[in-house]
Amino acid sequence: MLEIVTFSLLNGIVYGLLLFMVSSGLTLIFSLMGVLNFAHASMFMLGAYFSYQIGKWIGFWPALVIAPLLVALIGAAVERYGLRHVHRQGHVAEILFTFGLAYLIVEFVIMVWGRHPIENRVPAVIDFPAFFLFGTSYPAYKVLMMAISVGMFAFLYLAFRRTRLGLIIRAALTHPEMVGALGHDVPRIFVQVFAIGSALAGLAGVIGGFALLTEPNMAAALGPIVFVVVVVGGLGSITGAFIASMLIGIVQTFAVALDYSLLDLFRVWHITLGRDSAFYEVAAVKIAQTAPLIPYLLLVVMLIVRPRGLLGRREA
Amino acid sequence: MRQDTVAKAEAEPASRTLMRWLQLRKSWLATVIVLIVLPHIPGLDGNFGRSLLSQMGIAAVFALSYNLLLGQTGLLSFGHAVYFGLGGYAGIHLMHMINAGLPIPMPLVPLAGAAAGLFFGMLFGAVTTRRAGVVFALISLGVGELVFAAMRILQGFSGGEEGITANRGAGPHPFGLTFGSQLQVYYVIVFWSVLAAVLMAAFLRTPVGRMCNAVRDNPERAAFIGYDPVRVRLIVFSVAAMFAGLAGGLHAFNYEIVAAEAVGAGRSGAVLLMAYIGGVHSFLGAVLGAVTITWLQVSLSDYTTAWQLYLGLFFIAMVLFAPGGLAGVLLMHRPIVKTRAFAGVLQSYAIALVPALVAAIGAIMLLEMNYRRATQPDAGAQMRLFWVDLDTSTIWPWLGASLLLAGGAFFFHRCRPLVAAAWQRASDEARAGSGTPREATP
Amino acid sequence: MSERDNRRCALQLESLHKRFGATPIIRGVSLDVFAGERHAIIGPNGAGKSTLFNLVSGLLPTTAGSIRLDNEPINGLPPFEIYRRGLARSFQVTNIFPRLSVYENIRCSVLWALGHRYSFLGDVSKLADANERTDQVLERIGMTQRRDVRAGVLTYAEQRALEIGITIAGNAHVILLDEPTAGMSRAEAARAVALIRSVSAGRTLVMVEHDMGVVFDLADRISVLVYGEIIATDVPARIRENPAVQAAYLGSVHA
């Protein structure tokens, strides 16, 4: 029992940290620009594919640096040449643009690397057991993942609070027009923020590509959950995104391990439900089956009860 | 809309009234006549053509219901397929019951879809319409994912990924109609589609329908003239869900199968695409979008495996350059259609079309060659594009395509002042003719 | 005030407080507006005049204090409920329906007042009472010629006139106008003043204004709001001579 709990907790933490890595950039972009960037998970995907390719040509450690930089450039270009022209049409048009962009990025990936998952294997240099727990090994790359995401959190937290750019961004979170009126080059800040946010997603992709399957569908699989994290955590709050990621990561991982259903509960109370009862099917659903639902349930409840999110300073 | 003169209590012969009524609605009548004749036109009179028309009809109802939400009330929903799919499930289950002996004629099945759509629209709408804008969009996304997951889990109700089937022909046969032929199915769909369109148009003219537009433009001000924006949104949400459910019922009727994808994100995305590409703001746009996207989805996939890529490019181009959609582009020409200079505008389009086509061919060649290489590596280097055999392992096709793209783009750019000048002449003429001050230029 | 016993109060504010976080904006405002009077609120920028309007019309919740409309408390009610009870307001930043025509703007504004609630029935263009009332309002604000123009492309002065039109189109008997002549030339402002005078006949008008000419022309009484407090409420002549008012405005209160 303890073994299950410990491993579930560890895996939940790792999954939560992965979610945080991907969503930290989106928190930045969404909070500052109000753009629901549907293409954010696509940047994550690009990071995974780029690091695979660069890893094949050069090596893992260069890929860790170059891939996010490439993604940052792409993000900057997207904002500068595409999204900038859509801002004045309103948030709906922005969302739709990123929607179409996500679509295009998937097709681009298919065009270059094909439809099937690619052999994005953990590079030998980090493919060793970091430690042993209950007789099972815990891989080093997962430890690296934890280190990187904690590092991201620290970087973002300090950058927000200690640098001038961070100060401007924090001001723009609640008073974007005023910041522009004060003479800051808001369009350039937007480009910088979009680039940084995308780079973070790309960096997450480098590592995440090993943890998850690297395939064209990975963006669509992770995308909605990342939104949930950002919204539940709250606008403008890195800490909120962190808490929300950990919450979702741990709860979902634990749920998957729970193979119980309402029927089992009824059995404990000595109630039997006939197979042809209309309610039977619902009661037979195991908690593990509902695990994918948990983030969305959380999203809907949070938006209804507290649209600001856990630690948000402004409503979406 | 022009205010109707208050009718005096004059006795008017019935025939005069009928003629006047018909005159006012001549565009509707023309549409109905065209729709009735369409499946008999050579080219569309085969099973494939009629099936395509049926699909377009269903998509049109779905897209119109989405227009009520987005275009008329400003509510961006990423989960509208929920009501379509749940309506579809209601329809297919009713068909099941009819197969088992329930004496209801099949053409009434879409009503079950509408009822289910209305029910779930009111149910989910009650909690989701309290906010608008981005919050609403995200909630709709969440609800959509929840319902989709629920459908995958509750296999007994939904049949999961494989879905539930029924038999359209196994029911009462009024007037000897079996509804086995695609032609009969098409006419049933036309009936419901036209009815739905008429009802939705009428809804928009009611007081609450007008307030939808007001709430879209300025929800704060709408409150300050006495209307609760949340209540208005809930009403239009329920109505839109009802018509989406109707479309779902038509879907069940047409395909005799409904599966979990009917409530899925793909279908929600598709209707969003249709509404936006066609033109968010108008009925015409919704119908145009539905027809175009359905045609592209069905036909384009026959020509190329990269059709999703083209769709995506098309969509992005629309968002960037033509936010009013296809309808917006068409309506943009309305002020200049009657001018003599209009012919000049058309001429400039024709001239600019040549380099545009050349560039497009180059781009398509590059994309297709790339796509083939990545997704079908075993198919070899030989391929046939635009009726020409190419060897993609040599540099020539790549070079040629790049030249076409670059050259075409360059000359297209040179044509732009031509088109602009022609437009300027036409709009000057239009403005001089009507005497109205300059309001909006393309 | 002995006057209070004799005249009915349309709008009463009592010890109104509003804080944003730790910052107090409205600090104990008490005001009685008599039925049928034209009451102007003036004060330096940042005094809290728009905030006061937002509190009264229900856009912002109060931190403390009460607001009464015809002796009924309206504190905490949503804006649409307050409107239904007879209080309408205009906005400093023009707040119209840009994609609807001028005609549609006004027609939507009369629907509730005429009893057409969330009605599903009836083509709005066939509602004789709505169309009649709309024509009347358009006539009053002088926009009959521009009735089919999309509100978003009107000139600034036309939009301000439409703004007023939307506000008075219903049955509201207490009207709040937030800087109605802001940004207007002298001629436009004079026209606006005539309009305001005519539409406020028989209604109670509360007006925030910076243009002293307009204020002294229209107002029966003036209240001066400085740093969230009312420092004086009186007839125009006595306000002009009030030393506290002069000090607050640094002697710039001219006729």
Side-chain angles (χ1 to χ4, degrees), chain B residues 15-351:
Chain B
S15 53
R16 275 273 303 275
T17 321
L18 184 64
M19 287 314 293
R20 196 157 52 84
W21 190 84
L22 285 174
Q23 174 70 11
L24 279 175
R25 286 154 182 74
K26 55 178 183 273
S27 50
W28 282 102
L29 277 178
T31 316
V32 171
I33 293 175
V34 166
L35 287 175
I36 292 178
V37 168
L38 220 43
H40 298 290
I41 297 178
L44 289 171
D45 55 355
N47 226 24
F48 174 75
R50 289 165 179 179
S51 178
L52 181 64
L53 288 174
S54 307
Q55 279 179 279
M56 287 181 179
I58 299 172
V61 176
F62 194 23
L64 280 173
S65 79
Y66 197 76
N67 171 266
L68 277 185
L69 273 185
L70 182 58
Q72 307 293 341
T73 321
L75 290 171
L76 175 64
S77 166
F78 288 120
H80 200 51
V82 164
Y83 310 99
F84 176 86
L86 289 174
Y89 277 119
I92 203 90
H93 281 292
L94 180 62
M95 282 169 78
H96 242 242
M97 293 199 273
I98 297 177
N99 289 161
L102 191 64
I104 297 181
M106 283 290 173
L108 292 184
V109 160
L111 273 181
L118 182 63
F119 173 71
F120 285 107
M122 294 198 294
L123 185 67
F124 295 146
V127 282
T128 62
T129 54
R130 293 225 212 103
R131 314 268 173 183
V134 174
V135 178
F136 173 83
L138 288 174
I139 297 185
S140 70
L141 183 68
V143 169
E145 295 281 347
L146 280 174
V147 172
F148 181 54
M151 289 299 117
R152 304 239 311 270
I153 294 174
L154 297 176
Q155 304 256 345
F157 173 73
S158 72
E161 306 268 357
E162 278 109 46
I164 308 233
T165 57
N167 188 350
R168 186 174 55 228
H173 292 159
F175 313 111
L177 298 164
T178 60
F179 305 111
S181 83
Q182 191 64 44
L183 186 64
Q184 290 176 7
V185 171
Y186 169 78
Y187 280 125
V188 171
I189 291 179
V190 160
F191 170 73
W192 285 114
S193 307
V194 171
L195 182 65
V198 167
L199 287 177
M200 283 194 258
F203 171 76
L204 284 175
R205 287 201 300 271
T206 62
V208 72
R210 301 277 78 239
M211 287 312 297
C212 287
N213 282 170
V215 167
R216 169 198 65 196
D217 280 6
N218 197 337
E220 188 182 68
R221 206 51 159 108
F224 281 106
I225 56 174
Y227 281 90
D228 181 2
V230 173
R231 179 76 87 87
V232 173
R233 283 187 209 128
L234 177 58
I235 291 176
V236 73
F237 191 81
S238 310
V239 171
M242 178 174 81
F243 284 110
L246 178 71
L250 287 173
H251 175 95
F253 179 76
N254 186 39
Y255 290 107
E256 300 178 286
I257 180 173
V258 177
E261 59 82 31
V263 297
R267 199 167 279 274
S268 289
V271 73
L272 172 56
L273 217 68
M274 286 182 206
Y276 207 81
I277 288 185
V280 171
H281 303 306
S282 63
F283 259 36
L284 176 67
V287 176
L288 268 181
V291 166
T292 311
I293 298 297
T294 307
W295 178 76
L296 283 176
Q297 274 177 333
V298 170
S299 316
L300 211 56
S301 50
D302 285 340
Y303 292 115
T304 159
T305 46
W307 63 276
Q308 298 213 47
L309 176 59
Y310 294 124
L311 206 59
L313 282 170
F314 188 32
F315 181 68
I316 289 229
M318 279 288 169
V319 174
L320 279 175
F321 303 120
L326 291 172
V329 169
L330 285 178
L331 289 174
M332 181 172 84
H333 292 83
R334 197 158 55 168
I336 64 164
V337 165
K338 300 238 177 72
T339 64
R340 272 169 305 150
F342 184 57
V345 172
L346 289 177
Q347 221 174 32
S348 68
Y349 284 168
I351 297 177

Side-chain angles (χ1 to χ4, degrees), chain A residues 96 103 107 111 231 281 293 315, chain B residues 131 149 155-156 276 371 374:
Chain A
L96 291 176
Y103 215 65
E107 293 300 318
M111 202 161 64
V231 173
E281 197 174 11
L293 283 177
E315 220 179 88
Chain B
R131 314 268 173 183
Q155 304 256 345
Y276 207 81
Y371 223 76

Side-chain angles (χ1 to χ4, degrees), chain A residues 71-147:
Chain A
V71 177
L73 281 173
I74 293 180
V78 163
E79 161 60 26
R80 174 76 181 78
Y81 297 111
L83 208 49
R84 180 179 290 190
H85 302 292
V86 185
H87 286 313
R88 68 187 127 84
Q89 288 177 37
H91 285 321
V92 175
E94 288 169 340
I95 293 174
L96 291 176
F97 178 79
T98 59
F99 192 63
L101 189 66
Y103 215 65
L104 279 184
I105 292 182
V106 169
E107 293 300 318
F108 166 73
V109 160
I110 291 179
M111 202 161 64
V112 178
W113 287 284
R115 281 186 200 278
H116 300 291
I118 54 172
E119 288 255 28
N120 202 3
R121 264 198 294 258
V122 181
V125 65
I126 54 173
D127 190 15
F128 55 89
F131 53 87
F132 285 88
L133 205 56
F134 295 112
T136 324
S137 66
Y138 210 71
Y141 80 87
K142 286 200 177 173
V143 176
L144 180 63
M145 195 154 83
M146 290 171 77

Side-chain angles (χ1 to χ4, degrees), chain C residues 34-223:
Chain C
F34 302 139
E37 82 163 324
R38 289 199 285 260
H39 196 111
I41 300 184
I42 64 176
N45 278 320
K49 305 189 289 295
S50 281
T51 309
L52 200 61
F53 265 21
N54 287 338
L55 288 171
V56 173
S57 59
L59 261 186
L60 289 175
T62 60
T63 312
S66 78
I67 307 173
R68 284 176 185 285
L69 178 69
D70 298 328
N71 258 315
E72 296 290 328
I74 58 170
N75 215 351
L77 290 179
F80 57 86
E81 188 55 53
I82 295 179
Y83 175 87
R84 293 172 191 174
R85 292 185 187 211
L87 186 147
R89 69 164 289 184
S90 77
F91 289 81
Q92 184 180 355
V93 178
T94 314
N95 218 2
I96 54 180
F97 303 108
R99 305 238 314 260
L100 301 180
S101 69
V102 168
Y103 195 81
E104 288 265 11
N105 266 265
I106 302 289
R107 186 163 59 187
C108 284
S109 314
V110 308
L111 285 177
W112 189 273
L114 290 175
H116 307 287
R117 304 281 189 255
Y118 298 103
S119 169
F120 270 74
L121 310 161
D123 187 337
V124 122
S125 58
K126 303 253 177 25
L127 297 173
D129 55 353
N131 292 316
E132 232 173 87
R133 178 83 87 100
T134 308
D135 286 331
Q136 281 170 8
V137 173
L138 280 179
E139 191 66 50
R140 287 186 94 171
I141 61 174
M143 297 276 279
T144 312
Q145 298 290 56
R146 306 278 276 159
R147 48 182 274 163
D148 289 319
V149 174
R150 253 184 35 176
V153 300
L154 292 173
T155 67
Y156 179 75
E158 286 174 326
Q159 283 186 347
R160 298 301 290 165
L162 181 60
E163 175 82 36
I164 293 179
I166 295 175
T167 310
I168 55 122
N171 289 338
H173 58 277
V174 177
I175 307 215
L176 272 48
L177 293 181
D178 199 345
E179 299 202 35
T181 65
M184 287 189 185
S185 66
R186 220 158 257 300
E188 290 165 341
R191 272 201 295 277
V193 165
L195 172 62
I196 294 173
R197 199 192 300 276
S198 91
V199 300
S200 61
R203 305 193 218 216
T204 310
L205 173 69
V206 183
M207 187 171 61
V208 162
E209 249 308 336
H210 272 303
D211 185 337
M212 288 305 142
V214 170
V215 170
F216 283 105
D217 202 351
L218 277 176
D220 297 327
R221 286 195 308 152
I222 302 177
S223 288

Side-chain angles (χ1 to χ4, degrees), chain B residues 416-441:
Chain B
R416 279 173 60 182
L418 228 103
V419 176
W423 255 99
Q424 189 61 44
R425 278 195 294 278
S427 35
D428 284 342
E429 190 186 318
R431 222 176 306 126
S434 61
T436 51
R438 185 192 190 104
E439 269 177 25
T441 32

